[in-house]
């Protein structure tokens, strides 16, 4: 298990239990106690948990690992989802995109797609509140980047707050790709942070089509803040691990399920 995957697993265990001993974590992750002690110390230095004698306790941010540490989770699924979602984008499209690991992967796929790189064709416009996506795509001549205003949130590299609305209220999007922390028929789409949820909802409200991109681990999960009810989502691009029952429930709710 890679370090970032292990860190994420530790934080998920802490989110569930509230407290974790070195021995419990080592047994759960099948690694040595020395490895867990180092992990605990490094996570404590980044204020992701509080160190205790023989273990650790959860911080309020334990459920929300920074984006740079999430990239290793379900990496293959995220790339396949990104490739499938990219098929929905044609030359000259105006695309909205929030932050997150799956949308970041989607941005990379769009940046390298040969048919969008034609010098004579209209550029794809990407409107985003994600600093990392804007940074990666700024030097791509065939992609026009529009970055919202707002206050940067370190965990997700997203700009949030009322300043983001100034730009989003002035644009119209062909399609919006929304990465989420949770999605379900009953609960709709959700995010761990209320500021992200608010900007994400405004972004999708400007689009003719709303597509949620999420690996199957997000299906049926719960998150603190609601982005939107399920009837505001047109399609869900996910991986093949999604159950037939869940896919049927989404279809019954009017959501097209696209499996990568």
């Amino acid at each position: 298990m890679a370090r970032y995957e292990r860190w994420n697993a530790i934080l998920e265990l802490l989110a569930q239990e509230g407290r974790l001993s070195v021995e419990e974590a080592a047994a759960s992750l099948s690694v040595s106690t020395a490895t867990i002690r180092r992990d605990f110390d490094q996570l404590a230095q980044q204020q992701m948990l509080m160190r205790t004698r023989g273990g650790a306790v959860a911080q309020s941010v334990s459920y929300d690992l920074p984006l740079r540490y999430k990239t290793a989770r379900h990496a293959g699924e995220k790339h396949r989802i990104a490739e499938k979602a990219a098929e929905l984008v044609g030359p000259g499209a105006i695309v909205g995109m929030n932050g997150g690991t799956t949308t970041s992967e989607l941005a990379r796929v769009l940046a390298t797609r040969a048919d969008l790189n034609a010098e004579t064709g209209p550029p794809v416009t990407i409107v985003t509140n994600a600093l990392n996506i804007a940074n990666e795509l700024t030097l791509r001549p065939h992609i026009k980047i529009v970055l919202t205003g707002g206050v940067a949130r370190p965990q997700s590299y997203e700009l949030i707050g009322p300043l983001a609305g100034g730009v989003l209220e002035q644009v119209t999007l062909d399609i919006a790709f929304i990465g989420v922390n949770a999605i379900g028929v009953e609960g709709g789409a959700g995010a761990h942070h209320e500021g992200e949820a608010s900007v994400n909802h405004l972004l999708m409200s400007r689009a003719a089509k709303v597509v949620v991109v999420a690996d199957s681990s997000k299906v049926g999960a719960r998150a603190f803040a609601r982005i939107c009810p399920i009837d505001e989502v047109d399609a869900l691009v996910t991986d093949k691990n999604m159950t037939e029952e869940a896919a049927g429930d989404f279809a019954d709710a009017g959501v097209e399920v696209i499996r990568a």
Side-chain angles (χ1 to χ4, degrees), residues 12-50:
E12 287 182 343
L13 286 171
L14 274 174
Q16 295 169 11
E17 306 296 333
R19 180 179 296 271
L20 196 62
S21 71
V22 170
E23 290 75 16
E24 289 170 338
S28 178
L29 302 181
S30 301
V31 297
S32 70
T33 55
T35 296
I36 293 297
R37 288 191 184 93
R38 285 195 298 271
D39 289 341
F40 279 0
D41 290 341
Q42 291 168 339
L43 287 167
Q45 289 172 5
Q46 298 179 64
Q47 299 182 343
M48 299 301 295
L49 54 76
M50 290 181 62

mmCIF file of all heavy atoms in Angstrom, residues 12-50:
data_model
loop_
_atom_site.group_PDB
_atom_site.id
_atom_site.type_symbol
_atom_site.label_atom_id
_atom_site.label_comp_id
_atom_site.label_asym_id
_atom_site.label_seq_id
_atom_site.Cartn_x
_atom_site.Cartn_y
_atom_site.Cartn_z
ATOM 1 N N GLU A 12 -9.589 7.657 7.452
ATOM 2 C CA GLU A 12 -10.941 7.115 7.372
ATOM 3 C C GLU A 12 -11.284 6.291 8.613
ATOM 4 O O GLU A 12 -12.401 6.357 9.129
ATOM 5 C CB GLU A 12 -11.092 6.263 6.108
ATOM 6 C CG GLU A 12 -11.146 7.099 4.835
ATOM 7 C CD GLU A 12 -11.346 6.262 3.585
ATOM 8 O OE1 GLU A 12 -11.126 5.029 3.663
ATOM 9 O OE2 GLU A 12 -11.705 6.828 2.541
ATOM 10 N N LEU A 13 -10.305 5.521 9.111
ATOM 11 C CA LEU A 13 -10.522 4.774 10.351
ATOM 12 C C LEU A 13 -10.763 5.714 11.525
ATOM 13 O O LEU A 13 -11.638 5.488 12.363
ATOM 14 C CB LEU A 13 -9.308 3.874 10.640
ATOM 15 C CG LEU A 13 -9.164 2.623 9.770
ATOM 16 C CD1 LEU A 13 -7.809 1.962 10.028
ATOM 17 C CD2 LEU A 13 -10.285 1.644 10.049
ATOM 18 N N LEU A 14 -9.996 6.795 11.561
ATOM 19 C CA LEU A 14 -10.175 7.784 12.636
ATOM 20 C C LEU A 14 -11.537 8.459 12.546
ATOM 21 O O LEU A 14 -12.167 8.737 13.565
ATOM 22 C CB LEU A 14 -9.066 8.838 12.573
ATOM 23 C CG LEU A 14 -7.766 8.502 13.299
ATOM 24 C CD1 LEU A 14 -6.727 9.574 13.029
ATOM 25 C CD2 LEU A 14 -7.991 8.359 14.797
ATOM 26 N N ALA A 15 -11.972 8.733 11.318
ATOM 27 C CA ALA A 15 -13.280 9.365 11.153
ATOM 28 C C ALA A 15 -14.388 8.465 11.674
ATOM 29 O O ALA A 15 -15.392 8.929 12.225
ATOM 30 C CB ALA A 15 -13.507 9.709 9.679
ATOM 31 N N GLN A 16 -14.204 7.157 11.515
ATOM 32 C CA GLN A 16 -15.218 6.199 11.968
ATOM 33 C C GLN A 16 -15.164 5.980 13.482
ATOM 34 O O GLN A 16 -16.198 5.905 14.143
ATOM 35 C CB GLN A 16 -15.020 4.853 11.261
ATOM 36 C CG GLN A 16 -15.258 4.913 9.762
ATOM 37 C CD GLN A 16 -14.793 3.649 9.060
ATOM 38 O OE1 GLN A 16 -14.477 2.648 9.700
ATOM 39 N NE2 GLN A 16 -14.723 3.689 7.745
ATOM 40 N N GLU A 17 -13.939 5.855 14.016
ATOM 41 C CA GLU A 17 -13.782 5.455 15.412
ATOM 42 C C GLU A 17 -13.529 6.617 16.365
ATOM 43 O O GLU A 17 -13.826 6.516 17.554
ATOM 44 C CB GLU A 17 -12.622 4.442 15.534
ATOM 45 C CG GLU A 17 -12.751 3.227 14.624
ATOM 46 C CD GLU A 17 -13.956 2.379 14.953
ATOM 47 O OE1 GLU A 17 -14.401 2.395 16.127
ATOM 48 O OE2 GLU A 17 -14.477 1.697 14.044
ATOM 49 N N GLY A 18 -12.962 7.702 15.849
ATOM 50 C CA GLY A 18 -12.636 8.837 16.706
ATOM 51 C C GLY A 18 -11.293 8.712 17.389
ATOM 52 O O GLY A 18 -10.631 9.709 17.676
ATOM 53 N N ARG A 19 -10.854 7.494 17.648
ATOM 54 C CA ARG A 19 -9.582 7.228 18.333
ATOM 55 C C ARG A 19 -9.001 5.933 17.771
ATOM 56 O O ARG A 19 -9.742 4.999 17.464
ATOM 57 C CB ARG A 19 -9.809 7.111 19.841
ATOM 58 C CG ARG A 19 -8.567 6.846 20.666
ATOM 59 C CD ARG A 19 -8.929 6.783 22.147
ATOM 60 N NE ARG A 19 -9.431 8.075 22.617
ATOM 61 C CZ ARG A 19 -8.654 9.035 23.096
ATOM 62 N NH1 ARG A 19 -7.348 8.867 23.155
ATOM 63 N NH2 ARG A 19 -9.194 10.168 23.509
ATOM 64 N N LEU A 20 -7.678 5.874 17.655
ATOM 65 C CA LEU A 20 -7.043 4.713 17.049
ATOM 66 C C LEU A 20 -5.686 4.483 17.702
ATOM 67 O O LEU A 20 -4.900 5.421 17.851
ATOM 68 C CB LEU A 20 -6.864 4.964 15.545
ATOM 69 C CG LEU A 20 -6.575 3.796 14.605
ATOM 70 C CD1 LEU A 20 -7.725 2.795 14.624
ATOM 71 C CD2 LEU A 20 -6.356 4.319 13.188
ATOM 72 N N SER A 21 -5.428 3.242 18.092
ATOM 73 C CA SER A 21 -4.114 2.919 18.648
ATOM 74 C C SER A 21 -3.172 2.504 17.528
ATOM 75 O O SER A 21 -3.609 2.124 16.428
ATOM 76 C CB SER A 21 -4.217 1.784 19.671
ATOM 77 O OG SER A 21 -4.498 0.553 19.030
ATOM 78 N N VAL A 22 -1.877 2.556 17.811
ATOM 79 C CA VAL A 22 -0.881 2.135 16.829
ATOM 80 C C VAL A 22 -1.103 0.681 16.445
ATOM 81 O O VAL A 22 -1.068 0.316 15.263
ATOM 82 C CB VAL A 22 0.544 2.337 17.394
ATOM 83 C CG1 VAL A 22 1.583 1.672 16.489
ATOM 84 C CG2 VAL A 22 0.859 3.821 17.555
ATOM 85 N N GLU A 23 -1.363 -0.159 17.430
ATOM 86 C CA GLU A 23 -1.551 -1.592 17.162
ATOM 87 C C GLU A 23 -2.794 -1.849 16.320
ATOM 88 O O GLU A 23 -2.776 -2.692 15.409
ATOM 89 C CB GLU A 23 -1.638 -2.361 18.492
ATOM 90 C CG GLU A 23 -0.341 -2.439 19.272
ATOM 91 C CD GLU A 23 0.024 -1.126 19.958
ATOM 92 O OE1 GLU A 23 -0.871 -0.244 20.092
ATOM 93 O OE2 GLU A 23 1.202 -0.967 20.333
ATOM 94 N N GLU A 24 -3.874 -1.149 16.609
ATOM 95 C CA GLU A 24 -5.102 -1.320 15.832
ATOM 96 C C GLU A 24 -4.894 -0.931 14.375
ATOM 97 O O GLU A 24 -5.338 -1.634 13.452
ATOM 98 C CB GLU A 24 -6.223 -0.477 16.435
ATOM 99 C CG GLU A 24 -6.751 -0.991 17.764
ATOM 100 C CD GLU A 24 -7.676 0.007 18.435
ATOM 101 O OE1 GLU A 24 -7.591 1.225 18.123
ATOM 102 O OE2 GLU A 24 -8.474 -0.429 19.283
ATOM 103 N N ALA A 25 -4.231 0.200 14.163
ATOM 104 C CA ALA A 25 -3.982 0.656 12.798
ATOM 105 C C ALA A 25 -3.056 -0.292 12.053
ATOM 106 O O ALA A 25 -3.273 -0.606 10.878
ATOM 107 C CB ALA A 25 -3.391 2.059 12.811
ATOM 108 N N ALA A 26 -2.014 -0.772 12.726
ATOM 109 C CA ALA A 26 -1.072 -1.699 12.095
ATOM 110 C C ALA A 26 -1.768 -2.990 11.687
ATOM 111 O O ALA A 26 -1.545 -3.522 10.586
ATOM 112 C CB ALA A 26 0.087 -1.990 13.043
ATOM 113 N N ALA A 27 -2.629 -3.518 12.568
ATOM 114 C CA ALA A 27 -3.350 -4.751 12.257
ATOM 115 C C ALA A 27 -4.330 -4.544 11.111
ATOM 116 O O ALA A 27 -4.462 -5.405 10.223
ATOM 117 C CB ALA A 27 -4.078 -5.242 13.500
ATOM 118 N N SER A 28 -5.022 -3.419 11.106
ATOM 119 C CA SER A 28 -6.018 -3.146 10.078
ATOM 120 C C SER A 28 -5.385 -2.987 8.707
ATOM 121 O O SER A 28 -5.948 -3.425 7.699
ATOM 122 C CB SER A 28 -6.809 -1.896 10.439
ATOM 123 O OG SER A 28 -7.752 -1.590 9.439
ATOM 124 N N LEU A 29 -4.205 -2.361 8.655
ATOM 125 C CA LEU A 29 -3.568 -2.068 7.372
ATOM 126 C C LEU A 29 -2.470 -3.058 7.001
ATOM 127 O O LEU A 29 -1.832 -2.918 5.953
ATOM 128 C CB LEU A 29 -2.991 -0.653 7.393
ATOM 129 C CG LEU A 29 -3.992 0.469 7.687
ATOM 130 C CD1 LEU A 29 -3.310 1.824 7.662
ATOM 131 C CD2 LEU A 29 -5.144 0.444 6.697
ATOM 132 N N SER A 30 -2.216 -4.025 7.896
ATOM 133 C CA SER A 30 -1.212 -5.070 7.648
ATOM 134 C C SER A 30 0.180 -4.491 7.403
ATOM 135 O O SER A 30 0.885 -4.859 6.453
ATOM 136 C CB SER A 30 -1.633 -5.956 6.464
ATOM 137 O OG SER A 30 -2.875 -6.577 6.710
ATOM 138 N N VAL A 31 0.557 -3.544 8.264
ATOM 139 C CA VAL A 31 1.897 -2.962 8.218
ATOM 140 C C VAL A 31 2.475 -2.984 9.621
ATOM 141 O O VAL A 31 1.797 -3.312 10.593
ATOM 142 C CB VAL A 31 1.883 -1.519 7.668
ATOM 143 C CG1 VAL A 31 1.388 -1.496 6.224
ATOM 144 C CG2 VAL A 31 1.013 -0.618 8.531
ATOM 145 N N SER A 32 3.736 -2.611 9.743
ATOM 146 C CA SER A 32 4.391 -2.649 11.044
ATOM 147 C C SER A 32 3.960 -1.483 11.921
ATOM 148 O O SER A 32 3.513 -0.434 11.421
ATOM 149 C CB SER A 32 5.911 -2.612 10.866
ATOM 150 O OG SER A 32 6.321 -1.336 10.396
ATOM 151 N N THR A 33 4.112 -1.658 13.241
ATOM 152 C CA THR A 33 3.790 -0.569 14.165
ATOM 153 C C THR A 33 4.737 0.612 13.961
ATOM 154 O O THR A 33 4.345 1.759 14.162
ATOM 155 C CB THR A 33 3.863 -1.057 15.621
ATOM 156 O OG1 THR A 33 5.151 -1.636 15.869
ATOM 157 C CG2 THR A 33 2.774 -2.087 15.909
ATOM 158 N N ALA A 34 5.975 0.335 13.555
ATOM 159 C CA ALA A 34 6.932 1.426 13.307
ATOM 160 C C ALA A 34 6.456 2.309 12.156
ATOM 161 O O ALA A 34 6.554 3.542 12.211
ATOM 162 C CB ALA A 34 8.313 0.855 12.999
ATOM 163 N N THR A 35 5.900 1.677 11.121
ATOM 164 C CA THR A 35 5.361 2.437 9.984
ATOM 165 C C THR A 35 4.196 3.312 10.432
ATOM 166 O O THR A 35 4.103 4.490 10.059
ATOM 167 C CB THR A 35 4.909 1.479 8.879
ATOM 168 O OG1 THR A 35 6.044 0.773 8.374
ATOM 169 C CG2 THR A 35 4.243 2.235 7.730
ATOM 170 N N ILE A 36 3.313 2.738 11.236
ATOM 171 C CA ILE A 36 2.155 3.498 11.704
ATOM 172 C C ILE A 36 2.589 4.664 12.581
ATOM 173 O O ILE A 36 2.023 5.767 12.481
ATOM 174 C CB ILE A 36 1.173 2.586 12.459
ATOM 175 C CG1 ILE A 36 0.547 1.570 11.504
ATOM 176 C CG2 ILE A 36 0.089 3.403 13.156
ATOM 177 C CD1 ILE A 36 -0.295 2.179 10.398
ATOM 178 N N ARG A 37 3.572 4.448 13.449
ATOM 179 C CA ARG A 37 4.050 5.553 14.297
ATOM 180 C C ARG A 37 4.572 6.701 13.439
ATOM 181 O O ARG A 37 4.301 7.869 13.718
ATOM 182 C CB ARG A 37 5.140 5.050 15.246
ATOM 183 C CG ARG A 37 4.626 4.164 16.368
ATOM 184 C CD ARG A 37 5.695 3.916 17.424
ATOM 185 N NE ARG A 37 5.208 2.999 18.441
ATOM 186 C CZ ARG A 37 5.388 1.683 18.415
ATOM 187 N NH1 ARG A 37 6.064 1.126 17.404
ATOM 188 N NH2 ARG A 37 4.904 0.921 19.380
ATOM 189 N N ARG A 38 5.320 6.373 12.386
ATOM 190 C CA ARG A 38 5.813 7.428 11.486
ATOM 191 C C ARG A 38 4.653 8.125 10.791
ATOM 192 O O ARG A 38 4.636 9.355 10.658
ATOM 193 C CB ARG A 38 6.781 6.833 10.454
ATOM 194 C CG ARG A 38 8.154 6.491 10.993
ATOM 195 C CD ARG A 38 9.141 6.257 9.860
ATOM 196 N NE ARG A 38 8.743 5.123 9.016
ATOM 197 C CZ ARG A 38 9.094 3.856 9.237
ATOM 198 N NH1 ARG A 38 9.847 3.561 10.296
ATOM 199 N NH2 ARG A 38 8.708 2.899 8.420
ATOM 200 N N ASP A 39 3.675 7.339 10.350
ATOM 201 C CA ASP A 39 2.505 7.934 9.696
ATOM 202 C C ASP A 39 1.767 8.871 10.643
ATOM 203 O O ASP A 39 1.385 9.990 10.257
ATOM 204 C CB ASP A 39 1.551 6.834 9.221
ATOM 205 C CG ASP A 39 2.091 6.046 8.042
ATOM 206 O OD1 ASP A 39 3.003 6.549 7.360
ATOM 207 O OD2 ASP A 39 1.589 4.935 7.805
ATOM 208 N N PHE A 40 1.552 8.420 11.870
ATOM 209 C CA PHE A 40 0.867 9.256 12.859
ATOM 210 C C PHE A 40 1.628 10.565 13.077
ATOM 211 O O PHE A 40 1.029 11.646 13.131
ATOM 212 C CB PHE A 40 0.727 8.510 14.183
ATOM 213 C CG PHE A 40 -0.414 7.530 14.243
ATOM 214 C CD1 PHE A 40 -1.255 7.334 13.163
ATOM 215 C CD2 PHE A 40 -0.653 6.795 15.395
ATOM 216 C CE1 PHE A 40 -2.315 6.440 13.221
ATOM 217 C CE2 PHE A 40 -1.708 5.895 15.469
ATOM 218 C CZ PHE A 40 -2.542 5.719 14.372
ATOM 219 N N ASP A 41 2.943 10.458 13.206
ATOM 220 C CA ASP A 41 3.749 11.666 13.461
ATOM 221 C C ASP A 41 3.667 12.639 12.290
ATOM 222 O O ASP A 41 3.520 13.856 12.475
ATOM 223 C CB ASP A 41 5.213 11.280 13.715
ATOM 224 C CG ASP A 41 5.414 10.576 15.043
ATOM 225 O OD1 ASP A 41 4.536 10.701 15.914
ATOM 226 O OD2 ASP A 41 6.447 9.890 15.205
ATOM 227 N N GLN A 42 3.750 12.104 11.067
ATOM 228 C CA GLN A 42 3.713 12.972 9.886
ATOM 229 C C GLN A 42 2.343 13.603 9.696
ATOM 230 O O GLN A 42 2.237 14.782 9.333
ATOM 231 C CB GLN A 42 4.129 12.160 8.649
ATOM 232 C CG GLN A 42 5.601 11.783 8.667
ATOM 233 C CD GLN A 42 5.954 10.743 7.616
ATOM 234 O OE1 GLN A 42 5.093 10.011 7.130
ATOM 235 N NE2 GLN A 42 7.227 10.668 7.259
ATOM 236 N N LEU A 43 1.289 12.850 9.956
ATOM 237 C CA LEU A 43 -0.063 13.409 9.846
ATOM 238 C C LEU A 43 -0.320 14.434 10.944
ATOM 239 O O LEU A 43 -1.019 15.436 10.722
ATOM 240 C CB LEU A 43 -1.099 12.288 9.907
ATOM 241 C CG LEU A 43 -1.179 11.404 8.651
ATOM 242 C CD1 LEU A 43 -2.005 10.150 8.925
ATOM 243 C CD2 LEU A 43 -1.757 12.178 7.477
ATOM 244 N N ALA A 44 0.235 14.205 12.118
ATOM 245 C CA ALA A 44 0.082 15.175 13.204
ATOM 246 C C ALA A 44 0.791 16.487 12.866
ATOM 247 O O ALA A 44 0.296 17.577 13.182
ATOM 248 C CB ALA A 44 0.629 14.597 14.504
ATOM 249 N N GLN A 45 1.960 16.391 12.214
ATOM 250 C CA GLN A 45 2.690 17.598 11.819
ATOM 251 C C GLN A 45 1.871 18.445 10.854
ATOM 252 O O GLN A 45 1.999 19.672 10.818
ATOM 253 C CB GLN A 45 4.025 17.215 11.174
ATOM 254 C CG GLN A 45 5.050 16.664 12.161
ATOM 255 C CD GLN A 45 6.285 16.112 11.465
ATOM 256 O OE1 GLN A 45 6.429 16.228 10.233
ATOM 257 N NE2 GLN A 45 7.183 15.516 12.221
ATOM 258 N N GLN A 46 1.023 17.788 10.067
ATOM 259 C CA GLN A 46 0.181 18.506 9.109
ATOM 260 C C GLN A 46 -1.208 18.817 9.672
ATOM 261 O O GLN A 46 -2.099 19.244 8.951
ATOM 262 C CB GLN A 46 0.045 17.663 7.832
ATOM 263 C CG GLN A 46 1.381 17.430 7.160
ATOM 264 C CD GLN A 46 1.248 16.578 5.926
ATOM 265 O OE1 GLN A 46 0.610 16.974 4.949
ATOM 266 N NE2 GLN A 46 1.835 15.402 5.935
ATOM 267 N N GLN A 47 -1.366 18.581 10.981
ATOM 268 C CA GLN A 47 -2.606 18.885 11.700
ATOM 269 C C GLN A 47 -3.796 18.114 11.150
ATOM 270 O O GLN A 47 -4.934 18.584 11.194
ATOM 271 C CB GLN A 47 -2.879 20.394 11.680
ATOM 272 C CG GLN A 47 -1.787 21.204 12.346
ATOM 273 C CD GLN A 47 -2.080 22.684 12.369
ATOM 274 O OE1 GLN A 47 -2.933 23.179 11.630
ATOM 275 N NE2 GLN A 47 -1.385 23.405 13.224
ATOM 276 N N MET A 48 -3.529 16.890 10.676
ATOM 277 C CA MET A 48 -4.599 16.035 10.192
ATOM 278 C C MET A 48 -5.136 15.115 11.282
ATOM 279 O O MET A 48 -6.181 14.505 11.127
ATOM 280 C CB MET A 48 -4.114 15.188 9.005
ATOM 281 C CG MET A 48 -3.654 16.002 7.808
ATOM 282 S SD MET A 48 -4.948 17.068 7.145
ATOM 283 C CE MET A 48 -6.117 15.867 6.564
ATOM 284 N N LEU A 49 -4.387 14.997 12.369
ATOM 285 C CA LEU A 49 -4.830 14.242 13.533
ATOM 286 C C LEU A 49 -4.074 14.762 14.746
ATOM 287 O O LEU A 49 -3.132 15.548 14.615
ATOM 288 C CB LEU A 49 -4.617 12.729 13.343
ATOM 289 C CG LEU A 49 -3.220 12.212 12.962
ATOM 290 C CD1 LEU A 49 -2.251 12.204 14.144
ATOM 291 C CD2 LEU A 49 -3.319 10.808 12.395
ATOM 292 N N MET A 50 -4.493 14.329 15.934
ATOM 293 C CA MET A 50 -3.801 14.686 17.175
ATOM 294 C C MET A 50 -3.156 13.430 17.743
ATOM 295 O O MET A 50 -3.808 12.397 17.907
ATOM 296 C CB MET A 50 -4.780 15.276 18.192
ATOM 297 C CG MET A 50 -5.291 16.653 17.817
ATOM 298 S SD MET A 50 -6.424 17.314 19.064
ATOM 299 C CE MET A 50 -5.330 17.394 20.485
#
